[in-house]
Amino acid sequence: MARKLLFRVSPGGRLSGDIRVPGDKSISHRAIMLGSLAEGTTRVSGFLEGDDALATLRAFRAMGVRIEGPEAGRVTIHGVGMHGLQAPEAPLDLGNSGTSMRLLCGLLAGQGFEVTLIGDESLSRRPMKRVTEPLARMGAEINSTPKGTAPLVIRPVDGLRGIDYDMPVASAQVKSCLLLAGLYAEGETRVSEPAPTRDHTERMLRGFGYEVGIDGPQRWVRGGGRLSACDIDVPADISSAAFFLVGASIAEGSDLTLRHVGMNPTRDGVINILRAMGADIEVGNRREVGGEPVADLRVRAAPLRGIRIPEDQVPLAIDEFPALFVAAACAEGETVLTGAEELRVKESDRIQVMADGLQALGVRAEPTPDGIVIQGGPIGGGRVDSHGDHRIAMAFAMAALRADGEILIDDCANVNTSFPGFVELAAGCGLAIGQDDHA
Ligand code: S3P
């Protein structure tokens, strides 16, 4: 049996200090992908040395790209050009990383070699038809299990053709997958999103000198272009900052500064939602690095109130709901989330797993098919299962700040997928967290 990591968090405390959380996961993945396909040398700083981004890095190394680092967040990628990737000797193991699998699926659909993508138990359960179906319309040949899940076997085809695709779900992974396939397709590939989703792929493609068109909700690329290497400064991940924004908001006496946080307007839903709940978050020193807005955030404890979360904020805060549910549990009154069925197909079913965990701590939390209803109130101590989902583990760790007993959290090793050093950083700010390995 795999060894499991247990978090043990003592109740109470407050968060204070001045910190920088690790680099943005979405941007780190894309830096490796585009840097590998570019002509020239791409230097990345602030790279996230977490398992997910490292899975992408290893995949490109396995396809013949020379990549130095990471060392203290620095990575140097010697690009091989659009047609320089080589067939890997073995299946590419993408671990827990949905972003790696979905984006690579598009990027590899137009290569001249066969490649197999595999992942861990959680990734092997996640829906891949959302990418394989539109890619098939572009002429790709991709085999999945009958359920539409990984392993995915991608076979070389004569050529891809651009399509005009209306995405049924608001997903940056699907959009990015198709735009990356579109780089290799004949003509234009157009993707319409039902609601705005993170636009790091579009921004970074432009940074590498590739034109990306915007027509209303449509994003499009024309195949056959080239990428020129550039330097990338990866901002701190707002999705990782979110745990600290919530922790400092709910723990009386907290005063915490988070530096160099990515503030892309397609990612800032967590700030909008927390502010609507009454949080005290000051945004200062706004600037732009490499085409991405960043800022320093100062957060102080404040009484929160329950709200009905606006549905248009859902895609803009899609990864932050585990943390936001903890904020809701500490708020006065009821918080209602709707329009968030996508949470059920993340690294875990985040609606069910959070509802189970909150209930185990004595919080009234009722899951609904597309969201949850949470009544704010006291939080007890207890034991919760993160189901190997990094963000669930970190969200419940923050809940201890307001609990009246110790919180034990099972199956926390995957915190390393997005936030290496979480325990040390959180402990340094005042969270009474420790960890135990147990069989
Ligand atoms: C991501 C997109 C989102 C997000 C994931 C990262 C990306 O997924 O949940 O953590 O980097 O494009 P969906 O596209 O499935 O919403």
Side-chain angles (χ1 to χ4, degrees), residues 24-27 29-30 52 98-100 102-103 126-127 130 167 169-177 197-201 237 239 267 315 317-320 342-343 345-347 350 390-391:
D24 188 277
K25 181 154 76 72
S26 294
I27 297 176
H29 283 298
R30 288 158 170 83
D52 277 14
T99 307
S100 308
R102 296 203 178 108
L103 270 57
R126 295 182 66 185
R130 55 181 60 196
M167 295 197 302
V169 284
S171 163
Q173 291 179 353
V174 176
K175 173 179 63 175
S176 302
C177 163
T197 65
R198 65 191 68 193
D199 63 357
H200 306 298
T201 303
D237 198 328
S239 298
R267 296 283 300 282
I318 192 68
D319 290 337
E320 286 65 78
E342 273 295 296
L343 292 180
V345 291
K346 293 294 179 189
E347 287 83 330
R350 287 185 175 159
H390 54 139
R391 301 200 200 280

Side-chain angles (χ1 to χ4, degrees), residues 408-433:
L408 299 180
I409 310 160
D410 280 308
D411 207 356
C412 294
N414 279 339
V415 164
N416 267 330
T417 61
S418 67
F419 203 147
F422 169 75
V423 167
E424 296 74 13
L425 194 62
C429 296
L431 187 70
I433 183 169

Side-chain angles (χ1 to χ4, degrees), residues 227-241:
L227 298 168
S228 327
C230 67
D231 290 346
I232 297 171
D233 175 3
V234 181
D237 198 328
I238 191 168
S239 298
S240 297

Side-chain angles (χ1 to χ4, degrees), residues 10-73:
S10 301
R14 62 194 164 88
L15 299 184
S16 59
D18 191 322
I19 60 171
R20 178 166 170 163
V21 299
D24 188 277
K25 181 154 76 72
S26 294
I27 297 176
S28 295
H29 283 298
R30 288 158 170 83
I32 297 289
M33 295 179 189
L34 299 191
S36 294
L37 297 179
E39 287 165 32
T41 303
T42 291
R43 288 188 181 78
V44 185
S45 57
F47 180 77
L48 171 65
E49 297 180 41
D51 296 339
D52 277 14
L54 291 172
T56 293
L57 186 152
R58 283 189 207 105
F60 280 88
R61 268 193 190 137
M63 292 187 287
V65 182
R66 195 155 67 81
I67 304 175
E68 295 166 60
E71 216 187 285

